[in-house]
Amino acid sequence: MNANRIKIFIYFLLTVNFVGAQNNTQSPYSKLGLGDFQPVGYGKSAAMGGAGYSLLSGSEFNALNPAALAGLDSLLSLFEFGLHADYSRISNSQYYDNKWNANLTKISYAMSTGKKWGMAFGLAPYTNVGYKITANQEVNGIPEYYSILYQGSGGLSNLFWSNGFKISRNIFLGTNVSFIFGPKNEDQYYNLTNETEYSIIRKISDQYYGWLFDFSYLQTIPISKNQSINIGLKANAPGKLYRKTTEVVIQNHPSISTDDTLKAEENFKSSINYPVNFGGGISYQYKNRLIVAADYTLDRFSKMDFNDEFSDLIDNNIFAFGVQYKPAIFNRFHSELVYRLGLNYQTGYYQVDQKDLKNIMLTGGLGFNLGSLQFNVFGTYGWRGFTDNNLVRENTATFGLSVAFRDIWFQKRRFQ
Amino acid sequence: MKYFSLAFQLIAFILFINSCSSNDDADLVGNVFDNTLSNVYFTDTLTVNASTVRIDSFITSGYNKIFVGNKIDEYLGKTTARSYIPLTFSSTSVSFDKGATYDSLILVLTPNGNYLGDTLVDRHLQVYEVTDSIMPFSNGYFYNNTQFSLKSEPINEVNFKFRPRAHKKVYIPFPQSLGMSWFDMIVNQDQAFNSKNDFQNLFKGIAIVPGDSADNWSASFYGLPANDDETKPNRLELRLYYSVPNVEGDQYYAFIPSDSAFIFSNFKSDRSGTVLGNKLDSTQQVKSTATDDLSFMQSGNGLAVKIDIPALQRINEISPNISILSAELIMKPIPGSYDSENPLPQSLNIFWTDKKNRIGNALYDITGQAVISATLTTDEEYKENTYYSADILNYVLVKTKQKEYTDDDLMFLVSPETFATTFSRVALMDQILNQGSMQLKLYYLIY
């Protein structure tokens, strides 16, 4: 390994801490389950509606399908990070609230170790948790309501190691090992008196960790000299997420100088069965000019058993559709530019009043290279939920960027 | 390499903007998370014990009010209030113009607007000369049971109709002989009128005493108001009227209260034949169950209501993981016990008290900043739902934290000024008489 690459790893490790400690959603729905699930794909996939199971590229890391790692150009390495900024409006039938948020999201290192094997590792957000909700609940023993403030923070991260193998000329297999970890915290504020300074705060912190294993398949079917069809499949093995719960109850009593801790219960352990989820995609490719891709994913969240009254989750069907177009060469600059468009539709992992929490997202983006830097920018606009019955609807616009630093292994530089 | 350092700088920038999220004030009143399993509970069935407590002596001076009257209370019997006022010069010395002739000596009282009773009926007032020096205790105060000797016969007594709202002054003439002798002494520069002290040796002060004790009324007069109008004074004045040749109209010299802090009322009560009877004669505290399931607060007589809630110290029996969120005490006066003649005080003071029924500190709110009081909610229409309510969370928190039974409890009484200068009375029902009339509304969290 040369000095450059050693530096890359050092920076990588330094950055890992920060990625793991971020908190970049303000969705009330992130209270549910493990939080708000984050898209797996990078800039390219994000611009194409999240589609990507069947995408194979010699120069790009496809996080959706580890099998595609074996298709990387020989001895290529890619150090890549992603970031995004969100602007969202959360509204119900009476109120709305605008917020924005910017974060570093993903960081990864992918490399081809030869003609038949590629691997990658990195850190990506798995779920995000961030909310502040006032809800009304009934008092037991009297037909009255009180309001409770829920404040959530945290989010789970995915530390992954992916491997892709070329089995034959057109068939690739992939594996991925993920270590899922991170906190999901909720503070509950109870205040039922006119004395606003008096409250009881219940702080519940769930620390999750667990291993997940994915298996994937990718096949290229040439149709003609210039055209091909790709298919990709991915599924995970059933797994288990472990949860350590810490509960602290604090009585906030300003006339006593320090807060009174009523209860501090640590490390109550439980586990959640992680179901088998699977997805598949198909794409059509014309030279390097046009890619049309469509994906379907079934997240079987109904099989996840949370001991949480709210998290009555249902299966989420995700349909993703995307197009990438690279214009004919007019000049040197245009030759570098690719255009992407996409659509993502999710039936939702939560049901309220018999209605699914649908999520629709339109996406678009560009990709270009500057020297050995590869840029993919994307923008999305999506909406989720509905404002009937005083429920919450979210409209979110996201601008994102992923930057990959390309390097070739064992390449002797003439001027070092 | 230059791209690599560019990438690193980008990362540094992103880590910087990571802190730029607007995560505040995201209160959204969605009902997605409403109506789920709640761990907040309510109860109003804890036993609340009430007692009537007698406060032996309390300060009645310092309010600058001359409060007199009789009260015949259906629950508590008869109370009489009289006021003592030491008098002195209104200037450093007294003298008259040459040739002045005596006219009359008249006591002038100005009602301050607080009057209870029939305004169409003649009221009877007596004025006595006090024979003792009207001097306070060493702490500067007079008490409800402080009294000074009077001459056996009143200086004068009058019948009149009150016009409290018009502040119509009450004039009580003093005997000519007394006025004449004072006039002569002044003209002759008698020793007795040399100084204020000398005058007080001659005439120590007056007591204003209600007449016929079967008469049910009370009135309050101005003492020595701080912001008095010199031309139309509201203060109590004993006016010595005189005439001067060639000067139109009456002249007078006013004797006034020597010190506003020395005006006080004395109360006497007779509870024989009432529900309380002599129950409080030998003890200081009587439970509501012994007095027709009622407990009483009364001004003048020094009656207060003491509350204790024994279950608070055993609250952990409900659950070891219990925490109190809110505590409101509701106390209902018995319907029919109040009307325009017997109005309920708008608020009640709350104090900590002990086994010996001593008045301790006021009850403060949870921040320790504001004093808590019980406030009156009036049901004008049906009268059934008139009640006092008080946020006693701080008390409940203190009690629930006590491991051993202690006798510090709460005492409710009318404000000190009301206590000293009115006949206010509150008759509260206990839980036996009516479950909802004395209750602690407790909201708690089981965590």
Side-chain angles (χ1 to χ4, degrees):
Chain A
M1 239 187 243
N2 62 32
N4 264 351
R5 261 189 284 282
I6 290 167
K7 277 182 190 167
I8 289 172
F9 279 111
I10 290 168
Y11 288 132
F12 182 89
L13 289 172
L14 283 175
T15 320
V16 158
N17 280 325
F18 294 101
V19 181
Q22 59 187 271
N23 173 25
N24 59 354
T25 185
Q26 289 113 14
S27 167
Y29 294 118
S30 69
K31 178 169 166 52
L32 305 169
L34 295 171
D36 224 2
F37 284 88
Q38 296 301 295
V40 178
Y42 279 59
K44 178 180 179 180
S45 164
M48 293 176 70
Y53 285 131
S54 60
L55 297 185
L56 187 65
S57 164
S59 59
E60 289 163 327
F61 169 48
N62 178 5
L64 279 163
N65 191 336
L69 282 165
L72 286 177
D73 293 342
S74 185
L75 302 180
L76 175 74
S77 73
L78 286 166
F79 169 70
E80 188 164 4
F81 64 88
L83 57 109
H84 69 87
D86 299 331
Y87 185 80
S88 57
R89 167 173 289 200
I90 303 174
S91 53
N92 62 23
S93 53
Q94 288 149 10
Y95 311 100
Y96 68 87
D97 200 359
N98 295 328
K99 38 197 103 270
W100 78 279
N101 181 14
N103 257 309
L104 179 66
T105 50
K106 299 170 172 149
I107 191 153
S108 69
Y109 188 73
M111 60 194 167
S112 164
T113 58
K115 296 199 172 186
K116 301 203 167 201
W117 176 28
M119 64 177 266
F121 52 90
L123 184 67
Y126 187 64
T127 67
N128 278 325
V129 181
Y131 54 89
K132 193 172 177 185
I133 305 163
T134 307
N136 294 310
Q137 296 199 347
E138 198 165 357
V139 178
N140 296 290
I142 190 172
E144 277 182 14
Y145 291 86
Y146 66 96
S147 68
I148 175 172
L149 174 68
Y150 294 107
Q151 206 163 355
S153 63
L156 276 56
S157 298
N158 177 5
L159 185 64
F160 62 88
W161 179 44
S162 298
N163 285 281
F165 305 98
K166 194 169 184 175
I167 302 302
S168 70
R169 195 178 159 200
N170 292 323
I171 294 177
F172 305 83
L173 290 178
T175 62
N176 176 62
V177 182
S178 283
F179 182 66
I180 306 293
F181 67 97
K184 184 166 185 266
N185 306 314
E186 180 170 279
D187 293 352
Q188 303 172 355
Y189 291 83
Y190 295 86
N191 181 344
L192 270 71
T193 142
N194 294 330
E195 301 192 26
T196 51
E197 291 180 58
Y198 175 71
S199 59
I200 293 174
I201 306 159
R202 194 169 168 224
K203 292 171 178 283
I204 300 164
S205 176
D206 286 329
Q207 196 73 39
Y208 286 94
Y209 62 96
W211 297 93
L212 293 180
F213 299 93
D214 298 316
F215 303 97
S216 71
Y217 175 83
L218 187 69
Q219 184 176 1
T220 302
I221 305 162
I223 304 171
S224 67
K225 192 185 160 201
N226 291 328
Q227 298 177 81
S228 62
I229 299 271
N230 284 0
I231 55 168
L233 297 168
K234 185 178 166 189
N236 65 277
K240 229 173 198 162
L241 289 182
Y242 296 91
R243 177 167 59 186
K244 278 201 267 183
T245 304
T246 307
E247 184 185 350
V248 178
V249 179
I250 294 166
Q251 191 174 45
N252 187 341
H253 194 317
S255 63
I256 296 170
S257 57
T258 51
D259 288 344
D260 198 0
T261 301
L262 303 176
K263 179 185 184 181
E265 193 173 88
E266 278 178 32
N267 296 342
F268 174 72
K269 284 179 188 164
S270 57
S271 66
I272 293 153
N273 288 322
Y274 195 87
V276 175
N277 301 321
F278 49 84
I282 186 163
S283 62
Y284 164 81
Q285 187 158 357
Y286 174 73
K287 288 189 188 165
N288 63 349
R289 298 277 305 283
L290 178 70
I291 301 171
V292 180
D295 279 10
Y296 168 75
T297 307
L298 176 62
D299 284 335
R300 296 160 72 230
F301 291 140
S302 64
K303 300 286 187 289
M304 269 195 197
D305 47 346
F306 283 92
N307 263 339
D308 171 355
E309 63 208 272
F310 297 116
S311 299
D312 191 12
L313 303 183
I314 57 169
D315 292 348
N316 187 18
N317 297 281
I318 305 169
F319 301 91
F321 177 77
V323 182
Q324 174 176 297
Y325 175 66
K326 187 173 179 183
I329 301 164
F330 296 119
N331 57 45
R332 204 164 158 263
F333 179 71
H334 270 106
S335 71
E336 303 289 334
L337 212 54
V338 294
Y339 300 89
R340 298 176 182 123
L341 276 177
L343 176 70
N344 186 287
Y345 173 75
Q346 302 190 21
T347 56
Y349 54 83
Y350 189 59
Q351 206 174 40
V352 189
D353 295 345
Q354 315 296 318
K355 285 183 184 170
D356 297 349
L357 202 67
K358 294 185 175 63
N359 186 354
I360 300 169
M361 193 160 64
L362 300 172
T363 68
L366 297 171
F368 55 91
N369 294 331
L370 281 175
S372 59
L373 285 179
Q374 189 184 84
F375 287 89
N376 287 303
V377 297
F378 66 94
T380 70
Y381 182 74
W383 53 98
R384 173 164 65 166
F386 36 86
T387 56
D388 303 6
N389 294 333
N390 211 19
L391 296 175
V392 178
R393 177 177 173 136
E394 292 167 9
N395 294 52
T396 305
T398 301
F399 173 78
L401 168 72
S402 69
V403 182
F405 173 68
R406 287 192 297 181
D407 200 5
I408 309 293
W409 281 74
F410 311 118
Q411 188 187 50
K412 287 253 191 267
R413 283 173 189 262
R414 236 171 270 173
F415 311 102
Q416 185 78 24
Chain B
M1 195 56 215
K2 103 183 155 179
Y3 288 118
F4 183 74
S5 80
L6 177 67
F8 182 70
Q9 281 167 20
L10 256 170
I11 291 173
F13 173 69
I14 299 314
L15 293 176
F16 169 72
I17 65 170
N18 189 15
S19 58
C20 300
S21 70
S22 64
N23 216 0
D24 296 316
D25 303 316
D27 285 77
L28 263 166
V29 198
N31 63 3
V32 182
F33 304 105
D34 289 357
N35 306 332
T36 49
L37 286 176
S38 169
N39 44 5
V40 171
Y41 295 79
F42 171 81
T43 182
D44 58 3
T45 57
L46 297 185
T47 300
V48 181
N49 294 322
S51 309
T52 303
V53 166
R54 171 169 57 87
I55 298 162
D56 273 342
S57 62
F58 50 93
I59 291 162
T60 58
S61 62
Y63 301 108
N64 205 2
K65 284 180 181 170
I66 299 156
F67 177 74
V68 292
N70 296 308
K71 177 72 182 179
I72 298 146
D73 188 273
E74 56 179 310
Y75 298 102
L76 302 172
K78 196 165 73 187
T79 310
T80 299
R82 57 174 62 174
S83 273
Y84 292 87
I85 307 109
L87 293 177
T88 188
F89 300 167
S90 56
S91 55
T92 46
S93 60
V94 198
S95 62
F96 302 121
D97 292 339
K98 258 201 161 166
T101 52
Y102 172 75
D103 201 1
S104 58
L105 181 65
I106 298 174
L107 179 67
V108 183
L109 299 172
T110 311
N112 64 16
N114 295 326
Y115 173 81
L116 287 176
D118 195 336
T119 51
L120 298 176
V121 177
D122 268 356
R123 299 306 181 193
H124 192 68
L125 268 187
Q126 298 177 321
V127 181
Y128 283 85
E129 182 182 343
V130 181
T131 54
D132 295 337
S133 274
I134 303 176
M135 292 303 290
F137 284 86
S138 53
N139 62 3
Y141 292 109
F142 298 87
Y143 290 81
N144 61 314
N145 48 8
T146 308
Q147 54 182 331
F148 297 97
S149 347
L150 310 179
K151 282 196 169 162
S152 56
E153 291 299 314
I155 297 172
N156 197 1
E157 47 194 308
V158 287
N159 289 302
F160 58 91
K161 290 189 175 65
F162 268 103
R163 292 278 180 275
R165 280 164 197 267
H167 301 285
K168 191 187 166 197
K169 292 182 191 312
V170 176
Y171 296 92
I172 305 170
F174 276 32
Q176 286 292 90
S177 54
L178 180 67
M180 281 287 263
S181 72
W182 282 16
F183 185 84
D184 290 344
M185 287 158 100
I186 294 165
V187 170
N188 297 330
Q189 298 184 341
D190 190 283
Q191 176 78 23
F193 284 85
N194 263 358
S195 71
K196 288 184 176 182
N197 276 346
D198 291 327
F199 176 71
Q200 290 213 318
N201 286 330
L202 173 73
F203 192 81
K204 299 187 169 60
I206 55 171
I208 298 173
V209 179
D212 186 357
S213 64
D215 238 8
N216 203 351
W217 64 278
S218 66
S220 184
F221 303 95
Y222 290 110
L224 198 60
N227 305 313
D228 214 5
D229 181 351
E230 280 293 327
T231 57
K232 293 180 196 164
N234 284 325
R235 65 189 178 186
L236 176 145
E237 290 188 333
L238 178 58
R239 296 177 182 171
L240 200 166
Y241 284 91
Y242 59 92
S243 317
V244 181
N246 306 323
V247 177
E248 285 276 321
D250 286 333
Q251 311 283 313
Y252 69 84
Y253 180 80
F255 298 89
I256 60 169
S258 62
D259 188 337
S260 65
F262 283 14
I263 298 169
F264 75 98
S265 296
N266 165 281
F267 291 87
K268 280 195 170 62
S269 63
D270 178 6
R271 287 193 278 266
S272 56
T274 69
V275 59
L276 263 174
N278 58 2
K279 290 192 178 88
L280 280 176
D281 290 356
S282 53
T283 173
Q284 277 202 315
Q285 181 175 353
V286 58
K287 288 190 168 176
S288 61
T289 47
T291 52
D292 291 357
D293 294 317
L294 296 172
S295 57
F296 302 98
M297 275 169 252
Q298 192 188 27
S299 308
N301 276 330
L303 299 187
V305 169
K306 185 174 175 180
I307 296 293
D308 82 294
I309 307 163
L312 290 180
Q313 275 151 314
R314 294 180 279 109
I315 201 81
N316 284 354
E317 290 174 12
I318 295 175
S319 162
N321 294 334
I322 191 171
S323 187
I324 309 300
L325 288 165
S326 167
E328 185 187 26
L329 184 70
I330 301 291
M331 303 184 293
K332 283 187 189 170
I334 184 165
S337 70
Y338 47 92
D339 52 32
S340 57
E341 294 281 300
N342 299 283
L344 292 170
Q346 287 302 309
S347 73
L348 301 174
N349 287 33
I350 312 175
F351 294 94
W352 289 90
T353 185
D354 59 12
K355 195 176 186 176
K356 292 179 173 172
N357 301 319
R358 286 177 292 209
I359 298 178
N361 293 325
L363 180 69
Y364 279 83
D365 73 353
I366 222 79
T367 63
Q369 301 296 314
V371 172
I372 295 280
S373 61
T375 52
L376 179 68
T377 302
T378 312
D379 177 4
E380 298 285 358
E381 201 168 348
Y382 302 109
K383 309 279 184 201
E384 297 295 317
N385 208 20
T386 292
Y387 61 89
Y388 287 97
S389 62
D391 176 359
I392 58 166
L393 177 65
N394 206 1
Y395 167 76
V396 170
L397 289 178
V398 169
K399 293 301 276 188
T400 51
K401 284 194 168 68
Q402 287 169 348
K403 298 281 182 279
E404 304 278 314
Y405 180 79
T406 56
D407 52 25
D408 44 347
D409 284 305
L410 290 184
M411 187 184 274
F412 293 77
L413 64 166
V414 298
S415 75
E417 181 164 359
T418 310
F419 213 53
T421 61
T422 71
F423 284 138
S424 273
R425 185 262 292 133
V426 182
L428 296 174
M429 298 185 278
D430 72 6
Q431 284 185 329
I432 295 164
L433 199 60
N434 181 334
Q435 174 64 31
S437 59
M438 175 81 69
Q439 58 182 195
L440 178 66
K441 292 184 165 184
L442 204 62
Y443 294 81
Y444 56 93
L445 174 73
I446 303 284
Y447 51 84

